[in-house]
Amino acid sequence: MKTKATNPLSKSLLAMASLLALAGPVPAFAQEAELPAWIDTDSERRGYDIAIRSDNSDNGFGDSRVEATMTLRNAAGQETSRQLSFQTLERADNTVGDKSVVVFHTPADVEGTALLSHAHILEPDDQWLYLPALARVRRISSANKSGPFVGSEFAFEDFTAVELNKYEHNYLTTEAITVGGETLPTDVVERFPRYENSGYSRQVSYIDQTIHQVRRIEFFDRRGDHLKTLDLGDYREYGDGIWRAHRLVMTNHQTGKSTDLVYGDFEFGVGLTDNDFVRGVLERQY
């Protein structure tokens, strides 16, 4: 159930921000877009406008491939590392989600483990996990999407949770944050999952006011307690306005564990098609 902030100071800031938003020009995309039925307040309209601007800033990449290193860190600071790769095929429009494949290459105990995801909006995402030790593909139940992915602090649903219309959005305030040694102003927008079986009651995203990319997400569990924070840093631009974060740090505040995800250089336009995102690809040799 959606629960919104009731802090009186926040409400005052919201009212002022809403007036400023209404006084200024409305972006063309916001004028043209058909507003979702859940929008009922000025702060929801502004939150949606900021979210759709951020989402649109990522449109047009087509497909991509990238290698990455995942570092798992326990509460005592002990680390283990894994090498993996990602392939992504962009959605046709905002009514459907992207398709992606994640494959682990090292160490030996996870080599060949692969996750195929077909993101949807309100319908449950389709996800299949290939485990080499069992030599079979297992479908991930929608009820288990909040579980940890291969021992990391990322959940299965974190890999498909970036789609705009999976959430209701609500503008909170503006705030300067520091990520990776860089301090920058952000729009703070809370969002509430519209899909069933999410492990989160809400998320608070901090969106860069300059390049409109998400710089931080705070995750709150089903009880409303702060569970995790994801910081996204080292953004680099590819081509005409396509930005990618190269360092993601997910910190679990309840266990003291964290997971770093450091990407290499992204490749775009590599010729991926729907045939590269079918269940059968999980059993291929990578």
Side-chain angles (χ1 to χ4, degrees):
M1 177 180 296
K2 181 162 64 176
T3 304
K4 294 184 178 177
T6 56
N7 183 301
L9 177 59
S10 296
K11 292 178 72 173
S12 298
L13 292 171
L14 280 172
M16 181 181 297
S18 297
L19 289 173
L20 290 172
L22 291 172
V26 178
F29 58 80
Q31 293 174 329
E32 296 169 356
E34 182 178 350
L35 292 179
W38 54 263
I39 291 181
D40 190 44
T41 67
D42 291 340
S43 63
E44 290 173 340
R45 171 64 189 270
R46 186 171 185 182
Y48 181 71
D49 286 349
I50 293 169
I52 198 171
R53 182 174 59 192
S54 177
D55 188 68
N56 285 347
S57 73
D58 191 48
N59 286 347
F61 71 87
D63 59 51
S64 67
R65 179 182 294 148
V66 65
E67 305 289 326
T69 299
M70 176 182 281
T71 301
L72 283 62
R73 188 177 301 104
N74 65 20
Q78 298 171 316
E79 298 181 351
T80 57
S81 294
R82 298 167 174 178
Q83 300 296 319
L84 61 163
S85 59
F86 295 81
Q87 293 188 153
T88 305
L89 183 66
E90 187 178 23
R91 63 183 181 261
D93 55 56
N94 282 340
T95 64
V96 295
D98 293 344
K99 297 179 179 179
S100 63
V101 174
V102 184
V103 182
F104 283 82
H105 303 294
T106 65
D109 62 338
V110 297
E111 182 180 4
T113 299
L115 176 69
L116 168 66
S117 301
H118 292 180
H120 302 296
I121 305 303
L122 299 184
E123 296 297 320
D125 298 326
D126 290 316
Q127 288 186 303
W128 299 267
L129 182 67
Y130 177 67
L131 297 171
L134 301 178
R136 69 183 179 90
V137 176
R138 179 167 65 92
R139 188 182 184 93
I140 305 298
S141 165
S142 61
N144 295 326
K145 298 294 175 61
S146 60
F149 175 60
V150 195
S152 74
E153 297 312 306
F154 291 89
F156 283 98
E157 71 175 293
D158 295 339
F159 287 89
T160 58
V162 297
E163 308 298 343
L164 170 74
N165 289 313
K166 280 178 172 286
Y167 303 93
E168 296 182 11
H169 305 267
N170 186 55
Y171 173 79
L172 294 179
T173 186
T174 60
E175 181 177 332
I177 65 168
T178 300
V179 177
E182 182 182 9
T183 301
L184 65 168
T186 64
D187 291 312
V188 185
V189 177
E190 62 180 346
R191 58 190 192 187
F192 303 88
R194 301 174 63 207
Y195 56 97
E196 295 182 349
N197 299 314
S198 174
Y200 310 119
S201 58
R202 71 182 181 112
Q203 302 173 16
V204 177
S205 59
Y206 296 74
I207 301 172
D208 187 327
Q209 292 182 338
T210 302
I211 61 173
H212 313 304
Q213 300 298 310
V214 176
R215 297 288 185 155
R216 174 175 291 164
I217 304 174
E218 296 169 343
F219 299 87
F220 293 81
D221 64 20
R222 290 170 178 166
R223 296 176 300 182
D225 296 328
H226 191 185
L227 174 62
K228 302 186 296 188
T229 297
L230 175 65
D231 280 341
L232 303 96
D234 191 15
Y235 268 94
R236 303 175 198 171
E237 185 178 15
Y238 293 84
D240 186 18
I242 301 298
W243 292 87
R244 287 292 181 273
H246 285 68
R247 182 177 181 81
L248 280 62
V249 180
M250 182 74 90
T251 302
N252 189 317
H253 302 290
Q254 297 182 5
T255 65
K257 298 179 180 179
S258 62
T259 298
D260 297 354
L261 196 53
V262 178
Y263 292 98
D265 291 332
F266 282 78
E267 298 177 85
F268 295 94
V270 293
L272 300 174
T273 69
D274 285 324
N275 291 334
D276 296 302
F277 298 88
V278 297
R279 178 173 170 159
V281 304
L282 297 178
E283 300 177 13
R284 295 177 188 167
Q285 296 295 318
Y286 287 89

